[in-house]
Amino acid sequence: MTEQPTPSPRARELVAGAYDTHIHVAPDVMRRRIDDLALAPRFAAAGLAGFVLKSHYVPTAERAAVVNAAVPECRAVGAITLNGSVGGLNPVAVDIAGRGGAQVVWLPTVDSSNQRECTAAMPEGATPPMWAQLQDELRAEGMAADPVEVLDPDGGVREITRQVLRVIAKHDMTLATGHLSTGEIEVVTRAALDEGVRRVVVTHPEFTSQRVAAERQRRLAEQGVLLERCFTTPYTGKVEWRTWVDNVRAAGPENSVLSSDLGQPFNPPVEDGLAILADWLLAEGFTESEIRTMAVANSRWLAGADSERAGAATAAQEGPR
C-alpha cells in the first residue's frame, strides 16, 4: 500500500463518536506527523470523540489535561508505558499517573524481554518502527535499560507485577499488554482479571513480536479480553491483510477494538486511521453494526468514556462527548 487512502463519508459516519486508543504524536522524543494540540480540533471536525496519547518513554496525563483545556470538544486521554524510562514495573509511577487522570497502562513495549529477544525477522518490505533507531542509539551509548520482566524465572507472575495490577484496578484503568510474548500475555491477563482489572486489551496481537495465534486469541476473548486491531500493522507490511481480517473473524468483531497506531510522518493523517479501517472492513463484508462495535463501543470502553462495556453501544450512538 503506497498511496495513502482517503476515507469515504460513510466510513466517517460509522466511526463517529469513537476514540482512537493508540496514537503517537508530538511532543515526543522522535519526529511525529502532528502535535496533540493541532490534532484535537481535527478529531472533533471528523466527528471523533478523542484519542489516547501513547508514548513509549514518558507519561502523558499532564499533556492530555492541557489538550482538554485548550480543545474541550475533543477528549485527550493520558497513559503510561512501563518501560525503563519510568522505572519499569513501577507501582508508584502507575498510581501517580492514575491520580493524574491517566486511563491506559501499557506493560513494557520496547524494553520488554520479548521485544529484546524477539528473533522474528521483519517481513520483507515492512517499515521498521520509529523507536527502533532510538533503542539502538541508547544501547550504543551504554544506556539501554535492563529488560522489564513481568514473570519470574518459573513462569509465575512477579509480586511487583501483581502490585501494578492492583493499582490499575484501584483506579479502574485500562491494562494493555504491550509487547509481551504470547505466553506472557495469557498469564498476565489471567492475573489482571483475578486482581480486579476490568478493562484489558491485547496490544496489536498481529505485530511482529506478538504473533498471537487465532486459537489463543479466541481463548483470550472468552475471558472478556479485547484484541486490538491496529491500522499500521497491516498498512506497514508487518502482517498480511488477510491474516489480520481472519483473526478478527476468528475472535469475533465483538471482541476486537480498532485503533490506528498512527502519528508517523510517512503514514496517513491520524484522524483518518479508524475511518480507513472502516472502509476496508466494509469491503470485506463486515456489517455496519460490527464496525460500530469495534470502532466505537469498544474504544469508548477502553478509553474510560463508558463505565460499562455492555452499555457502550447505546452511549456511542450519542456521538462525541
Side-chain angles (χ1 to χ4, degrees):
M1 300 178 183
T2 54
E3 291 188 15
Q4 294 185 350
T6 301
S8 69
R10 181 187 182 193
R12 291 280 195 207
E13 292 177 4
L14 280 178
V15 301
Y19 281 77
D20 191 336
T21 58
H22 189 156
I23 68 168
H24 297 275
V25 297
D28 201 355
V29 293
M30 58 198 75
R31 192 164 62 94
R32 296 302 185 188
R33 183 185 180 101
I34 193 171
D35 65 58
D36 45 20
L37 283 171
L39 180 63
R42 288 173 176 254
F43 259 59
L48 298 166
F51 47 77
V52 177
L53 291 165
K54 183 177 183 183
S55 168
H56 290 292
Y57 299 99
V58 297
T60 63
E62 292 181 350
R63 279 174 56 188
V66 172
V67 174
N68 291 333
V71 191
E73 60 269 27
C74 173
R75 177 174 173 248
V77 180
I80 185 171
T81 306
L82 303 183
N83 288 317
S85 56
V86 299
L89 297 175
N90 185 344
V92 175
V94 176
D95 192 60
I96 295 301
R99 290 170 187 265
Q103 176 62 37
V104 180
V105 179
W106 271 275
L107 290 175
T109 57
V110 299
D111 289 331
S112 71
S113 178
N114 176 61
Q115 185 62 59
R116 294 283 186 86
E117 298 173 0
C118 181
T119 56
M122 193 75 70
E124 184 177 353
T127 305
M130 291 187 70
W131 46 260
Q133 181 178 347
L134 176 56
Q135 290 297 104
D136 289 342
E137 291 173 1
L138 291 173
R139 191 176 303 108
E141 295 174 18
M143 292 190 293
D146 292 335
V148 180
E149 303 285 359
V150 296
L151 304 182
D152 61 33
D154 296 323
V157 180
R158 297 178 63 198
E159 178 54 34
I160 192 70
T161 305
R162 289 194 176 275
Q163 191 173 0
V164 165
L165 297 176
R166 288 193 288 269
V167 174
I168 293 171
K170 179 180 78 169
H171 292 292
D172 198 21
M173 299 165 84
T174 298
L175 173 70
T177 57
H179 292 197
L180 301 185
S181 68
T182 297
E184 290 172 324
I185 289 169
E186 289 189 312
V187 174
V188 171
T189 53
R190 283 197 299 269
L193 297 171
D194 289 344
E195 295 292 350
V197 178
R198 296 199 306 143
R199 311 169 201 259
V200 181
V201 58
V202 176
T203 307
H204 46 45
E206 286 78 34
F207 194 74
T208 50
S209 56
Q210 275 77 64
R211 295 287 196 242
V212 182
E215 180 55 39
R216 291 197 177 202
Q217 291 193 30
R218 280 194 291 266
R219 289 205 301 267
L220 288 162
E222 289 171 358
Q223 300 178 56
V225 173
L226 287 173
L227 291 307
E228 180 191 35
R229 312 301 181 179
C230 286
F231 167 80
T232 58
T233 313
Y235 186 79
T236 60
K238 295 178 177 65
V239 69
E240 291 292 332
W241 171 245
R242 179 52 46 202
T243 300
W244 193 98
V245 170
D246 288 346
N247 285 348
V248 174
R249 288 200 168 102
E254 69 279 9
N255 300 312
S256 295
V257 60
L258 304 184
S259 71
S260 76
D261 200 3
L262 281 171
Q264 305 80 13
F266 45 80
N267 279 334
V270 182
E271 67 272 18
D272 288 352
L274 296 182
I276 293 171
L277 278 177
D279 272 327
W280 290 352
L281 290 166
L282 285 170
E284 291 289 343
F286 287 87
T287 68
E288 292 190 353
S289 177
E290 289 172 334
I291 294 169
R292 288 282 296 174
T293 295
M294 290 187 279
V296 185
N298 288 344
S299 74
R300 293 179 65 88
W301 162 244
L302 293 182
D306 295 324
S307 60
E308 298 296 333
R309 182 177 170 186
T314 299
Q317 298 299 325
E318 301 171 2
R321 50 168 292 174

